[in-house]
Amino acid sequence: MLDTNAKILVVDDFSTMRRIVKNALKSLNYNNVEEAEDGASGLEKLRTDHFDLVVCDWNMPGMTGIELLRAVRADPSLKHLPFLMVTAEAKRENIVEAIQAGVSNYIVKPFTPQTFGEKLHAMFGEKAA
Amino acid sequence: MQPTAQAPGQTEAAKSQFPAMRADFINPFITSTVRVIATMAAIQPLPGRPRIKTDSRTYADVTGIIGLLGEGVEGTMAISFAESCILRVVSNMLGEEITDLNNEIEDAVGELTNMISGAARAELETKSYSFRMAIPSVITRRGHSIAVITRFPIVQIPFETDFGPFYVEACLHQVPKA
C-alpha cells in the first residue's frame, strides 16, 4: 500500500501533463509531489532525494522515459522503485519494451482520473476506491 | 467513411502514390481526436465530412503540428483550434479557467497533438504501418495561416464543439521502405 505521505516524482516535458497527473494524484490524497521536465533531471532528483514512486512520460527530448527506467533499474539504490509509465505510445512493442525494462505499470494517454487511480492502486495491490 | 474523390488539379503522380483518402487512413485520425478531446476535456466533438484541401491554407488561432515518419509512409498531422474552443478545452483539462492564449495553451496543444497522433499511429499500426515517435511544434497567433508545402493532397477533417470549431489535417504518402 502506498502511504498518502509518499513522495512522488512526475517526469514529463509538457507542464500540462504534469499538472493533470498532479491533479489526479491530489484527488487520491497524494500531495507530496515533485516535478522534472525530462529523464536526465528526473534521474538527478532520484539520486539526490528519496522518492516512493515515479510517474513518467516516455517520449521526451534528451533522456526518454524508457532510458530513465533502464537507468533506475540499473542503479542498486533505485532498482526497486515503483515506476509508472504514462504515455501516448500505445503500440504493443512499446508496452513489451517497457515491461522488459522493468516498468511497474503502464497507462496509455488519453486517460481519466479514474483509470489513473485504478492503475496506481493495482501497482500496490490495492482495490480502487 | 467512404473514399472521397481526389481534388481537381492534382498531379497523376500524386494520385497514383497517395492513398490517404482511404477510410483506413483517415478514420484513425477521426476516432483518436474524438477520444482524446472527450476523455481529457469532457467535450464531445462532432466530426464533419473529411475533404481534400483545394486551398493551401488554414486560418486558426493555435495549431499543433507533428511529423509522421514511418516504414513506407511519411507525412504530417496538424490540429488547428479557434481561440474560444481551445480556451474551453484546456480549461477543462486543467480544471481551472484559462482566459488567454498563453504558454499554458501552447503546452496543452503540444500535448494534445502528441496524444492524438499517438492514438492514430497505434491504430495505423494495426494496418501494418509502423511510425516512429516525434516531438510536436505549436504556433500561436490569432488568425495565423498554415500552409503545408507538399505535392501530395492534404486531408482536412472539420470538428464542431459547443465552444467553436477545430480542424485536423493529415498529409500521408507512401515512400519506399528502407
Side-chain angles (χ1 to χ4, degrees), chain A residues 12 14-17 19-20 23 58-59 61 88-91 94 109-112, chain B residues 35 39-40 94 96 104 107-108 110-111 115 118 121-122 125 131 133-134 136:
Chain A
D12 198 307
F14 285 99
S15 64
T16 300
M17 190 49 62
R19 286 171 69 176
I20 289 169
N23 287 344
W58 184 310
N59 189 14
E89 302 308 320
K91 290 159 57 175
N94 289 127
K109 303 174 191 174
F111 62 88
T112 62
Chain B
R35 189 159 61 87
T39 304
M40 300 307 295
L94 298 178
E96 60 185 87
E104 291 171 312
D107 189 275
E111 183 61 60
M115 278 190 267
R121 281 188 284 118
E125 294 275 335
F131 292 90
M133 298 179 195

PDB file of all heavy atoms in Angstrom, chain A residues 12 14-17 19-20 23 58-59 61 88-91 94 109-112, chain B residues 35 39-40 94 96 104 107-108 110-111 115 118 121-122 125 131 133-134 136:
ATOM      1  N   ASP A  12       7.744  14.692 -17.024  1.00  0.00           N
ATOM      2  CA  ASP A  12       7.102  14.899 -18.326  1.00  0.00           C
ATOM      3  C   ASP A  12       7.590  16.219 -18.890  1.00  0.00           C
ATOM      4  O   ASP A  12       7.737  17.193 -18.142  1.00  0.00           O
ATOM      5  CB  ASP A  12       5.567  14.904 -18.179  1.00  0.00           C
ATOM      6  CG  ASP A  12       4.857  14.674 -19.506  1.00  0.00           C
ATOM      7  OD1 ASP A  12       5.149  15.400 -20.480  1.00  0.00           O
ATOM      8  OD2 ASP A  12       4.008  13.775 -19.585  1.00  0.00           O
ATOM      9  N   PHE A  14       5.928  18.092 -20.902  1.00  0.00           N
ATOM     10  CA  PHE A  14       4.792  19.012 -21.023  1.00  0.00           C
ATOM     11  C   PHE A  14       4.243  19.340 -19.636  1.00  0.00           C
ATOM     12  O   PHE A  14       3.827  18.441 -18.891  1.00  0.00           O
ATOM     13  CB  PHE A  14       3.686  18.397 -21.883  1.00  0.00           C
ATOM     14  CG  PHE A  14       4.002  18.402 -23.352  1.00  0.00           C
ATOM     15  CD1 PHE A  14       4.482  17.266 -23.969  1.00  0.00           C
ATOM     16  CD2 PHE A  14       3.846  19.557 -24.114  1.00  0.00           C
ATOM     17  CE1 PHE A  14       4.795  17.266 -25.319  1.00  0.00           C
ATOM     18  CE2 PHE A  14       4.153  19.569 -25.461  1.00  0.00           C
ATOM     19  CZ  PHE A  14       4.628  18.426 -26.065  1.00  0.00           C
ATOM     20  N   SER A  15       4.238  20.634 -19.300  1.00  0.00           N
ATOM     21  CA  SER A  15       3.723  21.043 -17.990  1.00  0.00           C
ATOM     22  C   SER A  15       2.248  20.701 -17.851  1.00  0.00           C
ATOM     23  O   SER A  15       1.766  20.417 -16.753  1.00  0.00           O
ATOM     24  CB  SER A  15       3.943  22.546 -17.775  1.00  0.00           C
ATOM     25  OG  SER A  15       3.200  23.299 -18.705  1.00  0.00           O
ATOM     26  N   THR A  16       1.520  20.701 -18.984  1.00  0.00           N
ATOM     27  CA  THR A  16       0.097  20.343 -18.944  1.00  0.00           C
ATOM     28  C   THR A  16      -0.090  18.944 -18.362  1.00  0.00           C
ATOM     29  O   THR A  16      -0.921  18.733 -17.476  1.00  0.00           O
ATOM     30  CB  THR A  16      -0.502  20.371 -20.365  1.00  0.00           C
ATOM     31  OG1 THR A  16      -0.356  21.691 -20.885  1.00  0.00           O
ATOM     32  CG2 THR A  16      -1.959  19.977 -20.357  1.00  0.00           C
ATOM     33  N   MET A  17       0.684  17.993 -18.864  1.00  0.00           N
ATOM     34  CA  MET A  17       0.521  16.625 -18.381  1.00  0.00           C
ATOM     35  C   MET A  17       1.006  16.488 -16.948  1.00  0.00           C
ATOM     36  O   MET A  17       0.429  15.727 -16.168  1.00  0.00           O
ATOM     37  CB  MET A  17       1.234  15.645 -19.326  1.00  0.00           C
ATOM     38  CG  MET A  17       0.919  14.187 -19.050  1.00  0.00           C
ATOM     39  SD  MET A  17      -0.858  13.769 -18.879  1.00  0.00           S
ATOM     40  CE  MET A  17      -1.486  14.211 -20.500  1.00  0.00           C
ATOM     41  N   ARG A  19       0.651  18.718 -14.690  1.00  0.00           N
ATOM     42  CA  ARG A  19      -0.457  19.238 -13.877  1.00  0.00           C
ATOM     43  C   ARG A  19      -1.625  18.262 -13.832  1.00  0.00           C
ATOM     44  O   ARG A  19      -2.264  18.082 -12.794  1.00  0.00           O
ATOM     45  CB  ARG A  19      -0.913  20.592 -14.424  1.00  0.00           C
ATOM     46  CG  ARG A  19       0.075  21.683 -14.085  1.00  0.00           C
ATOM     47  CD  ARG A  19      -0.239  22.954 -14.795  1.00  0.00           C
ATOM     48  NE  ARG A  19      -1.460  23.604 -14.327  1.00  0.00           N
ATOM     49  CZ  ARG A  19      -1.865  24.775 -14.769  1.00  0.00           C
ATOM     50  NH1 ARG A  19      -1.160  25.431 -15.671  1.00  0.00           N
ATOM     51  NH2 ARG A  19      -2.962  25.317 -14.297  1.00  0.00           N
ATOM     52  N   ILE A  20      -1.912  17.632 -14.974  1.00  0.00           N
ATOM     53  CA  ILE A  20      -3.013  16.656 -14.999  1.00  0.00           C
ATOM     54  C   ILE A  20      -2.693  15.481 -14.072  1.00  0.00           C
ATOM     55  O   ILE A  20      -3.551  15.023 -13.309  1.00  0.00           O
ATOM     56  CB  ILE A  20      -3.271  16.184 -16.441  1.00  0.00           C
ATOM     57  CG1 ILE A  20      -3.920  17.325 -17.247  1.00  0.00           C
ATOM     58  CG2 ILE A  20      -4.145  14.933 -16.481  1.00  0.00           C
ATOM     59  CD1 ILE A  20      -3.992  17.074 -18.740  1.00  0.00           C
ATOM     60  N   ASN A  23      -2.969  16.666 -10.509  1.00  0.00           N
ATOM     61  CA  ASN A  23      -4.383  16.759 -10.109  1.00  0.00           C
ATOM     62  C   ASN A  23      -4.959  15.381  -9.809  1.00  0.00           C
ATOM     63  O   ASN A  23      -5.730  15.205  -8.857  1.00  0.00           O
ATOM     64  CB  ASN A  23      -5.203  17.433 -11.221  1.00  0.00           C
ATOM     65  CG  ASN A  23      -4.949  18.920 -11.315  1.00  0.00           C
ATOM     66  OD1 ASN A  23      -4.395  19.534 -10.397  1.00  0.00           O
ATOM     67  ND2 ASN A  23      -5.334  19.528 -12.431  1.00  0.00           N
ATOM     68  N   TRP A  58       7.035   8.814 -21.699  1.00  0.00           N
ATOM     69  CA  TRP A  58       8.029   8.079 -22.495  1.00  0.00           C
ATOM     70  C   TRP A  58       8.778   9.020 -23.443  1.00  0.00           C
ATOM     71  O   TRP A  58       9.989   9.121 -23.426  1.00  0.00           O
ATOM     72  CB  TRP A  58       7.317   6.993 -23.326  1.00  0.00           C
ATOM     73  CG  TRP A  58       8.230   6.096 -24.120  1.00  0.00           C
ATOM     74  CD1 TRP A  58       9.250   6.483 -24.955  1.00  0.00           C
ATOM     75  CD2 TRP A  58       8.223   4.661 -24.156  1.00  0.00           C
ATOM     76  NE1 TRP A  58       9.854   5.388 -25.507  1.00  0.00           N
ATOM     77  CE2 TRP A  58       9.248   4.267 -25.042  1.00  0.00           C
ATOM     78  CE3 TRP A  58       7.423   3.685 -23.544  1.00  0.00           C
ATOM     79  CZ2 TRP A  58       9.499   2.921 -25.322  1.00  0.00           C
ATOM     80  CZ3 TRP A  58       7.681   2.353 -23.827  1.00  0.00           C
ATOM     81  CH2 TRP A  58       8.708   1.981 -24.703  1.00  0.00           C
ATOM     82  N   ASN A  59       8.013   9.736 -24.266  1.00  0.00           N
ATOM     83  CA  ASN A  59       8.588  10.488 -25.392  1.00  0.00           C
ATOM     84  C   ASN A  59       8.999  11.892 -24.939  1.00  0.00           C
ATOM     85  O   ASN A  59       8.171  12.799 -24.890  1.00  0.00           O
ATOM     86  CB  ASN A  59       7.549  10.558 -26.519  1.00  0.00           C
ATOM     87  CG  ASN A  59       8.117  11.115 -27.797  1.00  0.00           C
ATOM     88  OD1 ASN A  59       9.334  11.220 -27.961  1.00  0.00           O
ATOM     89  ND2 ASN A  59       7.240  11.481 -28.706  1.00  0.00           N
ATOM     90  N   PRO A  61      12.411  14.898 -25.062  1.00  0.00           N
ATOM     91  CA  PRO A  61      13.720  15.218 -25.630  1.00  0.00           C
ATOM     92  C   PRO A  61      14.829  14.838 -24.652  1.00  0.00           C
ATOM     93  O   PRO A  61      14.607  14.814 -23.438  1.00  0.00           O
ATOM     94  CB  PRO A  61      13.671  16.734 -25.825  1.00  0.00           C
ATOM     95  CG  PRO A  61      12.260  17.145 -25.626  1.00  0.00           C
ATOM     96  CD  PRO A  61      11.598  16.090 -24.815  1.00  0.00           C
ATOM     97  N   ALA A  88       1.653   8.355 -24.555  1.00  0.00           N
ATOM     98  CA  ALA A  88       0.770   8.274 -25.727  1.00  0.00           C
ATOM     99  C   ALA A  88       1.131   7.102 -26.620  1.00  0.00           C
ATOM    100  O   ALA A  88       0.438   6.842 -27.597  1.00  0.00           O
ATOM    101  CB  ALA A  88       0.839   9.582 -26.522  1.00  0.00           C
ATOM    102  N   GLU A  89       2.215   6.411 -26.292  1.00  0.00           N
ATOM    103  CA  GLU A  89       2.670   5.298 -27.146  1.00  0.00           C
ATOM    104  C   GLU A  89       1.903   4.030 -26.792  1.00  0.00           C
ATOM    105  O   GLU A  89       2.161   3.403 -25.781  1.00  0.00           O
ATOM    106  CB  GLU A  89       4.172   5.083 -26.980  1.00  0.00           C
ATOM    107  CG  GLU A  89       4.995   6.306 -27.306  1.00  0.00           C
ATOM    108  CD  GLU A  89       4.654   6.900 -28.669  1.00  0.00           C
ATOM    109  OE1 GLU A  89       4.430   6.115 -29.607  1.00  0.00           O
ATOM    110  OE2 GLU A  89       4.610   8.138 -28.781  1.00  0.00           O
ATOM    111  N   ALA A  90       0.947   3.694 -27.661  1.00  0.00           N
ATOM    112  CA  ALA A  90       0.066   2.562 -27.378  1.00  0.00           C
ATOM    113  C   ALA A  90       0.443   1.319 -28.160  1.00  0.00           C
ATOM    114  O   ALA A  90      -0.268   0.325 -28.138  1.00  0.00           O
ATOM    115  CB  ALA A  90      -1.374   2.951 -27.716  1.00  0.00           C
ATOM    116  N   LYS A  91       1.578   1.379 -28.869  1.00  0.00           N
ATOM    117  CA  LYS A  91       1.987   0.226 -29.666  1.00  0.00           C
ATOM    118  C   LYS A  91       2.355  -0.950 -28.764  1.00  0.00           C
ATOM    119  O   LYS A  91       3.003  -0.770 -27.733  1.00  0.00           O
ATOM    120  CB  LYS A  91       3.185   0.598 -30.532  1.00  0.00           C
ATOM    121  CG  LYS A  91       2.857   1.557 -31.643  1.00  0.00           C
ATOM    122  CD  LYS A  91       4.072   2.295 -32.166  1.00  0.00           C
ATOM    123  CE  LYS A  91       5.162   1.393 -32.661  1.00  0.00           C
ATOM    124  NZ  LYS A  91       6.281   2.156 -33.271  1.00  0.00           N
ATOM    125  N   ASN A  94       5.929  -1.161 -27.799  1.00  0.00           N
ATOM    126  CA  ASN A  94       6.350  -0.238 -26.750  1.00  0.00           C
ATOM    127  C   ASN A  94       6.032  -0.791 -25.363  1.00  0.00           C
ATOM    128  O   ASN A  94       6.842  -0.701 -24.439  1.00  0.00           O
ATOM    129  CB  ASN A  94       5.673   1.121 -26.918  1.00  0.00           C
ATOM    130  CG  ASN A  94       6.196   1.891 -28.118  1.00  0.00           C
ATOM    131  OD1 ASN A  94       5.418   2.332 -28.962  1.00  0.00           O
ATOM    132  ND2 ASN A  94       7.504   2.032 -28.210  1.00  0.00           N
ATOM    133  N   LYS A 109      -2.200   7.310 -22.721  1.00  0.00           N
ATOM    134  CA  LYS A 109      -2.992   8.527 -22.866  1.00  0.00           C
ATOM    135  C   LYS A 109      -3.913   8.374 -24.088  1.00  0.00           C
ATOM    136  O   LYS A 109      -3.492   7.780 -25.078  1.00  0.00           O
ATOM    137  CB  LYS A 109      -2.083   9.731 -23.107  1.00  0.00           C
ATOM    138  CG  LYS A 109      -1.039   9.990 -22.048  1.00  0.00           C
ATOM    139  CD  LYS A 109      -0.132  11.112 -22.513  1.00  0.00           C
ATOM    140  CE  LYS A 109       1.099  11.260 -21.645  1.00  0.00           C
ATOM    141  NZ  LYS A 109       2.053  12.263 -22.172  1.00  0.00           N
ATOM    142  N   PRO A 110      -5.113   8.910 -24.077  1.00  0.00           N
ATOM    143  CA  PRO A 110      -5.717   9.687 -23.005  1.00  0.00           C
ATOM    144  C   PRO A 110      -6.231   8.785 -21.894  1.00  0.00           C
ATOM    145  O   PRO A 110      -6.574   7.632 -22.142  1.00  0.00           O
ATOM    146  CB  PRO A 110      -6.875  10.389 -23.710  1.00  0.00           C
ATOM    147  CG  PRO A 110      -7.301   9.429 -24.774  1.00  0.00           C
ATOM    148  CD  PRO A 110      -6.034   8.781 -25.240  1.00  0.00           C
ATOM    149  N   PHE A 111      -6.309   9.352 -20.689  1.00  0.00           N
ATOM    150  CA  PHE A 111      -6.800   8.573 -19.553  1.00  0.00           C
ATOM    151  C   PHE A 111      -7.649   9.475 -18.656  1.00  0.00           C
ATOM    152  O   PHE A 111      -7.488  10.693 -18.665  1.00  0.00           O
ATOM    153  CB  PHE A 111      -5.636   7.984 -18.755  1.00  0.00           C
ATOM    154  CG  PHE A 111      -4.733   9.041 -18.165  1.00  0.00           C
ATOM    155  CD1 PHE A 111      -4.980   9.589 -16.919  1.00  0.00           C
ATOM    156  CD2 PHE A 111      -3.631   9.512 -18.874  1.00  0.00           C
ATOM    157  CE1 PHE A 111      -4.154  10.569 -16.388  1.00  0.00           C
ATOM    158  CE2 PHE A 111      -2.802  10.488 -18.358  1.00  0.00           C
ATOM    159  CZ  PHE A 111      -3.060  11.026 -17.107  1.00  0.00           C
ATOM    160  N   THR A 112      -8.538   8.848 -17.910  1.00  0.00           N
ATOM    161  CA  THR A 112      -9.353   9.587 -16.943  1.00  0.00           C
ATOM    162  C   THR A 112      -8.691   9.480 -15.567  1.00  0.00           C
ATOM    163  O   THR A 112      -7.883   8.562 -15.335  1.00  0.00           O
ATOM    164  CB  THR A 112     -10.765   8.996 -16.854  1.00  0.00           C
ATOM    165  OG1 THR A 112     -10.638   7.638 -16.397  1.00  0.00           O
ATOM    166  CG2 THR A 112     -11.468   9.018 -18.205  1.00  0.00           C
TER     167      THR A 112
ATOM    168  N   ARG B  35     -11.708  10.732 -29.215  1.00  0.00           N
ATOM    169  CA  ARG B  35     -11.432  10.049 -27.943  1.00  0.00           C
ATOM    170  C   ARG B  35     -10.558  10.912 -27.026  1.00  0.00           C
ATOM    171  O   ARG B  35     -10.809  11.024 -25.828  1.00  0.00           O
ATOM    172  CB  ARG B  35     -10.746   8.702 -28.217  1.00  0.00           C
ATOM    173  CG  ARG B  35     -10.617   7.817 -26.983  1.00  0.00           C
ATOM    174  CD  ARG B  35     -10.436   6.363 -27.391  1.00  0.00           C
ATOM    175  NE  ARG B  35      -9.246   6.150 -28.175  1.00  0.00           N
ATOM    176  CZ  ARG B  35      -8.035   5.899 -27.654  1.00  0.00           C
ATOM    177  NH1 ARG B  35      -7.888   5.850 -26.349  1.00  0.00           N
ATOM    178  NH2 ARG B  35      -6.996   5.696 -28.432  1.00  0.00           N
ATOM    179  N   THR B  39     -12.051  12.430 -23.630  1.00  0.00           N
ATOM    180  CA  THR B  39     -11.505  11.874 -22.385  1.00  0.00           C
ATOM    181  C   THR B  39     -10.802  12.943 -21.555  1.00  0.00           C
ATOM    182  O   THR B  39     -10.994  13.007 -20.332  1.00  0.00           O
ATOM    183  CB  THR B  39     -10.490  10.746 -22.703  1.00  0.00           C
ATOM    184  OG1 THR B  39     -11.134   9.763 -23.506  1.00  0.00           O
ATOM    185  CG2 THR B  39      -9.978  10.094 -21.426  1.00  0.00           C
ATOM    186  N   MET B  40      -9.997  13.776 -22.199  1.00  0.00           N
ATOM    187  CA  MET B  40      -9.169  14.718 -21.445  1.00  0.00           C
ATOM    188  C   MET B  40      -9.901  16.015 -21.113  1.00  0.00           C
ATOM    189  O   MET B  40      -9.541  16.699 -20.155  1.00  0.00           O
ATOM    190  CB  MET B  40      -7.886  15.054 -22.226  1.00  0.00           C
ATOM    191  CG  MET B  40      -7.001  13.855 -22.532  1.00  0.00           C
ATOM    192  SD  MET B  40      -6.543  12.820 -21.116  1.00  0.00           S
ATOM    193  CE  MET B  40      -5.537  13.941 -20.139  1.00  0.00           C
ATOM    194  N   LEU B  94      -7.357  21.192 -17.356  1.00  0.00           N
ATOM    195  CA  LEU B  94      -6.591  21.562 -16.163  1.00  0.00           C
ATOM    196  C   LEU B  94      -7.480  21.802 -14.940  1.00  0.00           C
ATOM    197  O   LEU B  94      -6.970  21.947 -13.825  1.00  0.00           O
ATOM    198  CB  LEU B  94      -5.765  22.823 -16.443  1.00  0.00           C
ATOM    199  CG  LEU B  94      -4.715  22.691 -17.546  1.00  0.00           C
ATOM    200  CD1 LEU B  94      -3.989  24.009 -17.758  1.00  0.00           C
ATOM    201  CD2 LEU B  94      -3.717  21.584 -17.207  1.00  0.00           C
ATOM    202  N   GLU B  96      -9.200  24.477 -14.343  1.00  0.00           N
ATOM    203  CA  GLU B  96      -9.179  25.889 -13.956  1.00  0.00           C
ATOM    204  C   GLU B  96      -9.371  26.744 -15.208  1.00  0.00           C
ATOM    205  O   GLU B  96      -9.064  26.310 -16.319  1.00  0.00           O
ATOM    206  CB  GLU B  96      -7.879  26.245 -13.250  1.00  0.00           C
ATOM    207  CG  GLU B  96      -6.646  26.015 -14.073  1.00  0.00           C
ATOM    208  CD  GLU B  96      -5.364  26.271 -13.281  1.00  0.00           C
ATOM    209  OE1 GLU B  96      -4.897  25.332 -12.612  1.00  0.00           O
ATOM    210  OE2 GLU B  96      -4.853  27.384 -13.349  1.00  0.00           O
ATOM    211  N   GLU B 104       0.432  28.251 -21.290  1.00  0.00           N
ATOM    212  CA  GLU B 104      -0.286  27.040 -20.876  1.00  0.00           C
ATOM    213  C   GLU B 104      -1.066  26.454 -22.052  1.00  0.00           C
ATOM    214  O   GLU B 104      -1.150  25.234 -22.219  1.00  0.00           O
ATOM    215  CB  GLU B 104      -1.246  27.372 -19.728  1.00  0.00           C
ATOM    216  CG  GLU B 104      -0.528  27.714 -18.429  1.00  0.00           C
ATOM    217  CD  GLU B 104      -1.479  28.234 -17.379  1.00  0.00           C
ATOM    218  OE1 GLU B 104      -2.287  29.123 -17.721  1.00  0.00           O
ATOM    219  OE2 GLU B 104      -1.405  27.756 -16.240  1.00  0.00           O
ATOM    220  N   ASP B 107       1.449  24.773 -24.455  1.00  0.00           N
ATOM    221  CA  ASP B 107       1.904  23.497 -23.904  1.00  0.00           C
ATOM    222  C   ASP B 107       0.816  22.427 -24.055  1.00  0.00           C
ATOM    223  O   ASP B 107       1.085  21.295 -24.461  1.00  0.00           O
ATOM    224  CB  ASP B 107       2.274  23.695 -22.428  1.00  0.00           C
ATOM    225  CG  ASP B 107       2.958  22.479 -21.844  1.00  0.00           C
ATOM    226  OD1 ASP B 107       2.245  21.550 -21.408  1.00  0.00           O
ATOM    227  OD2 ASP B 107       4.199  22.455 -21.825  1.00  0.00           O
ATOM    228  N   ALA B 108      -0.430  22.828 -23.749  1.00  0.00           N
ATOM    229  CA  ALA B 108      -1.538  21.869 -23.809  1.00  0.00           C
ATOM    230  C   ALA B 108      -1.798  21.416 -25.242  1.00  0.00           C
ATOM    231  O   ALA B 108      -2.095  20.235 -25.488  1.00  0.00           O
ATOM    232  CB  ALA B 108      -2.798  22.484 -23.209  1.00  0.00           C
ATOM    233  N   GLY B 110       0.431  21.215 -27.583  1.00  0.00           N
ATOM    234  CA  GLY B 110       1.504  20.269 -27.873  1.00  0.00           C
ATOM    235  C   GLY B 110       1.179  18.887 -27.333  1.00  0.00           C
ATOM    236  O   GLY B 110       1.348  17.873 -28.024  1.00  0.00           O
ATOM    237  N   GLU B 111       0.684  18.839 -26.124  1.00  0.00           N
ATOM    238  CA  GLU B 111       0.347  17.543 -25.525  1.00  0.00           C
ATOM    239  C   GLU B 111      -0.838  16.896 -26.246  1.00  0.00           C
ATOM    240  O   GLU B 111      -0.846  15.684 -26.487  1.00  0.00           O
ATOM    241  CB  GLU B 111       0.029  17.735 -24.032  1.00  0.00           C
ATOM    242  CG  GLU B 111      -0.274  16.453 -23.290  1.00  0.00           C
ATOM    243  CD  GLU B 111       0.890  15.457 -23.296  1.00  0.00           C
ATOM    244  OE1 GLU B 111       1.957  15.811 -22.792  1.00  0.00           O
ATOM    245  OE2 GLU B 111       0.721  14.338 -23.808  1.00  0.00           O
ATOM    246  N   MET B 115      -0.873  13.310 -28.081  1.00  0.00           N
ATOM    247  CA  MET B 115      -1.817  12.237 -27.733  1.00  0.00           C
ATOM    248  C   MET B 115      -2.607  11.777 -28.954  1.00  0.00           C
ATOM    249  O   MET B 115      -2.801  10.571 -29.166  1.00  0.00           O
ATOM    250  CB  MET B 115      -2.789  12.721 -26.648  1.00  0.00           C
ATOM    251  CG  MET B 115      -2.237  12.648 -25.250  1.00  0.00           C
ATOM    252  SD  MET B 115      -3.517  12.940 -24.014  1.00  0.00           S
ATOM    253  CE  MET B 115      -3.347  14.672 -23.774  1.00  0.00           C
ATOM    254  N   GLY B 118      -0.384   9.946 -31.355  1.00  0.00           N
ATOM    255  CA  GLY B 118      -0.013   8.657 -30.765  1.00  0.00           C
ATOM    256  C   GLY B 118      -1.139   7.641 -30.903  1.00  0.00           C
ATOM    257  O   GLY B 118      -0.903   6.484 -31.272  1.00  0.00           O
ATOM    258  N   ARG B 121      -1.512   6.759 -34.602  1.00  0.00           N
ATOM    259  CA  ARG B 121      -0.408   5.888 -35.029  1.00  0.00           C
ATOM    260  C   ARG B 121      -0.637   4.459 -34.552  1.00  0.00           C
ATOM    261  O   ARG B 121      -0.373   3.496 -35.275  1.00  0.00           O
ATOM    262  CB  ARG B 121       0.923   6.413 -34.493  1.00  0.00           C
ATOM    263  CG  ARG B 121       1.473   7.586 -35.294  1.00  0.00           C
ATOM    264  CD  ARG B 121       2.881   7.942 -34.860  1.00  0.00           C
ATOM    265  NE  ARG B 121       2.928   8.666 -33.607  1.00  0.00           N
ATOM    266  CZ  ARG B 121       3.526   8.229 -32.513  1.00  0.00           C
ATOM    267  NH1 ARG B 121       4.120   7.056 -32.493  1.00  0.00           N
ATOM    268  NH2 ARG B 121       3.531   8.960 -31.425  1.00  0.00           N
ATOM    269  N   ALA B 122      -1.131   4.342 -33.317  1.00  0.00           N
ATOM    270  CA  ALA B 122      -1.377   2.995 -32.779  1.00  0.00           C
ATOM    271  C   ALA B 122      -2.419   2.268 -33.623  1.00  0.00           C
ATOM    272  O   ALA B 122      -2.304   1.067 -33.879  1.00  0.00           O
ATOM    273  CB  ALA B 122      -1.831   3.097 -31.330  1.00  0.00           C
ATOM    274  N   GLU B 125      -0.960   1.236 -36.882  1.00  0.00           N
ATOM    275  CA  GLU B 125      -0.065   0.077 -36.704  1.00  0.00           C
ATOM    276  C   GLU B 125      -0.801  -1.223 -36.988  1.00  0.00           C
ATOM    277  O   GLU B 125      -0.217  -2.177 -37.498  1.00  0.00           O
ATOM    278  CB  GLU B 125       0.446   0.014 -35.264  1.00  0.00           C
ATOM    279  CG  GLU B 125       1.355   1.146 -34.864  1.00  0.00           C
ATOM    280  CD  GLU B 125       2.786   0.882 -35.252  1.00  0.00           C
ATOM    281  OE1 GLU B 125       3.139  -0.293 -35.370  1.00  0.00           O
ATOM    282  OE2 GLU B 125       3.519   1.861 -35.437  1.00  0.00           O
ATOM    283  N   PHE B 131       5.245   3.637 -37.284  1.00  0.00           N
ATOM    284  CA  PHE B 131       5.744   5.004 -37.191  1.00  0.00           C
ATOM    285  C   PHE B 131       6.692   5.145 -36.013  1.00  0.00           C
ATOM    286  O   PHE B 131       6.550   4.470 -34.995  1.00  0.00           O
ATOM    287  CB  PHE B 131       4.578   5.989 -36.980  1.00  0.00           C
ATOM    288  CG  PHE B 131       3.672   6.107 -38.163  1.00  0.00           C
ATOM    289  CD1 PHE B 131       2.578   5.267 -38.289  1.00  0.00           C
ATOM    290  CD2 PHE B 131       3.911   7.047 -39.144  1.00  0.00           C
ATOM    291  CE1 PHE B 131       1.731   5.362 -39.380  1.00  0.00           C
ATOM    292  CE2 PHE B 131       3.072   7.152 -40.239  1.00  0.00           C
ATOM    293  CZ  PHE B 131       1.971   6.311 -40.355  1.00  0.00           C
ATOM    294  N   MET B 133       8.343   7.741 -32.979  1.00  0.00           N
ATOM    295  CA  MET B 133       7.872   8.851 -32.144  1.00  0.00           C
ATOM    296  C   MET B 133       8.433  10.168 -32.682  1.00  0.00           C
ATOM    297  O   MET B 133       9.493  10.208 -33.292  1.00  0.00           O
ATOM    298  CB  MET B 133       8.365   8.673 -30.716  1.00  0.00           C
ATOM    299  CG  MET B 133       7.866   7.432 -30.043  1.00  0.00           C
ATOM    300  SD  MET B 133       8.551   7.316 -28.380  1.00  0.00           S
ATOM    301  CE  MET B 133       8.196   5.610 -28.010  1.00  0.00           C
ATOM    302  N   ALA B 134       7.719  11.259 -32.423  1.00  0.00           N
ATOM    303  CA  ALA B 134       8.183  12.584 -32.838  1.00  0.00           C
ATOM    304  C   ALA B 134       7.754  13.603 -31.783  1.00  0.00           C
ATOM    305  O   ALA B 134       6.907  13.318 -30.932  1.00  0.00           O
ATOM    306  CB  ALA B 134       7.613  12.943 -34.198  1.00  0.00           C
ATOM    307  N   PRO B 136       6.105  17.360 -31.066  1.00  0.00           N
ATOM    308  CA  PRO B 136       5.272  18.337 -31.764  1.00  0.00           C
ATOM    309  C   PRO B 136       5.800  19.767 -31.653  1.00  0.00           C
ATOM    310  O   PRO B 136       6.580  20.094 -30.764  1.00  0.00           O
ATOM    311  CB  PRO B 136       3.926  18.218 -31.036  1.00  0.00           C
ATOM    312  CG  PRO B 136       4.273  17.731 -29.675  1.00  0.00           C
ATOM    313  CD  PRO B 136       5.499  16.885 -29.818  1.00  0.00           C
TER     314      PRO B 136
END
